[in-house]
Amino acid sequence: MRVRKFLLLLLLLLLSSGEANSASWVNFPTSWDIGQAFAVSISSTAEYSNPVVTWMNRSITLNVEQGGAGRISYGLLGSDVRNTKPGNYTILFEFVQGGKKYKASGNITLKAREYPFENLRVSPKMVNPPKKELPRIREEQKLVGAALRTMTPLRLWTTPPQPPLSTMTLTSHYGFRRVYNGVPRNGHNGADLRAANGTDVLAPFAGTVVLTGFHYYAGGSLYIDSGNGVITVFFHLSNILVKKGDKISKGQVVAKSGSTGRVTGPHLHYSLVLGGQFVDPIPLLSTSITQMLKLGTQSQVNNL
Ligand SMILES: [Zn+2]
C-alpha cells in the first residue's frame, strides 16, 4: 500500500513538473430527467484553482480536493420541476491552471418526467391569502431568495446524506402537481415525510444555518448551506433548535417537526436546493457522488 502511494505521488510529481504533461477532465451527464439531481466534476493531474461551473444562469464555486488523478472538484446540480422546459441546456466549466484560464462547455438534454396530480384540502386563506398578509409574504420571499443564493466554496456535503428522520415514510412525492381546494398551484418542490409533531429532524449534511423563521406558507422553516450551492430546506417545523450562523454537523438534531403553515396535517417537508434549483431529495439518499459520476461522460479539457 505504501509503495503504491509512493508511486502515485511520484507519478503526480512527474506529471505536475511540466505543464505540458498535465491533463484535465470534466464529467457531466449528456441527458437527464427534469427535477432529478446529477453530479459533475472537474479533475486534473496537476494543481488548479478557482473551479466554477455555470448552470441555469447560476455560477457555482467548487472546492479543490485530493482525489481522482490528482485533484478533483465535485458538484451537485439539477433543474426545478416547476419551471424547467425540456430541451438542451449549456453547462460551462472554468478553472485556472499555470496562470491560464481553462474553459469547457457542453450540452445536457433535459427530458420531461410525468409527475402526477395531487388534490389537497387546506384552509381557504392558504390558497388565496388575505390582502393584509401580502407584504409579509413578499418580505419572506426576499429573505428566502437571498438564502437560496448563498454560495460558499468549501464542500461540507458528503454523500449519501443522512436521512432527516429516523423512520422515512414518503407521503407526498416531489413534483406532484398540486391542486389546493380545486385551484391548481405550483408543483411540489420537495418530499413530504410522515412525522408526528415533535419528531427529531436530523441535518442531512454538515453546514451553516443561513435562515430560520416562521413563514406564512412554509411555517417553521430552516435553511442550511453545505457549500457549492447545496442547500437543505425544512418546512412546517414546530421548533427550530439552531439559529442563523450556527455551524452544524451531519446528523445533528436541528429541529422538531410540526404542522405549521400550509398543511393538511403534521409532517416534515424536505427540500434539496442545488444552485438555486429545487430537486427531488429522495434518490440522493441511496447513492453517492462516485456512483453518480459513473452515469456521466468524462471528456478532456483543451486549452482554449
Ligand atoms: Zn411538502
Side-chain angles (χ1 to χ4, degrees), residues 111-176:
K111 296 176 294 177
R113 184 187 270 215
E114 271 305 303
Y115 294 100
F117 283 98
E118 181 181 36
N119 288 296
L120 298 165
R121 289 250 144 236
V122 293
S123 154
K125 72 177 197 294
M126 286 297 174
V127 184
N128 294 303
K131 252 203 175 111
K132 68 172 176 44
E133 298 288 0
L134 294 180
R136 171 193 169 181
I137 292 168
R138 270 196 294 271
E139 196 50 45
E140 289 167 358
Q141 282 168 343
K142 270 191 228 162
L143 291 170
V144 167
L148 295 179
R149 280 191 298 276
T150 308
M151 190 58 65
T152 51
L154 191 63
R155 180 170 76 97
L156 296 173
W157 52 273
T158 53
T159 55
Q162 160 72 47
L165 296 175
S166 59
T167 306
M168 296 281 290
T169 312
L170 200 56
T171 56
S172 172
H173 289 260
Y174 169 89
F176 274 5

Side-chain angles (χ1 to χ4, degrees), residues 204-217:
F205 300 123
T208 308
V209 177
V210 287
L211 178 66
T212 65
F214 281 80
H215 296 163
Y216 186 78
Y217 290 116

Side-chain angles (χ1 to χ4, degrees), residues 29-38 55-56 77-81 84-87 89 108-115 174 278-280 283:
T30 51
S31 171
W32 209 253
D33 280 4
I34 290 172
Q36 300 298 310
F38 60 87
W55 171 249
M56 297 263 169
L77 303 174
S79 56
D80 196 317
V81 68
T84 308
K85 301 264 176 292
Y89 291 81
I108 300 178
T109 306
L110 291 179
K111 296 176 294 177
R113 184 187 270 215
E114 271 305 303
Y115 294 100
Y174 169 89
F278 283 76
V279 305
D280 188 350

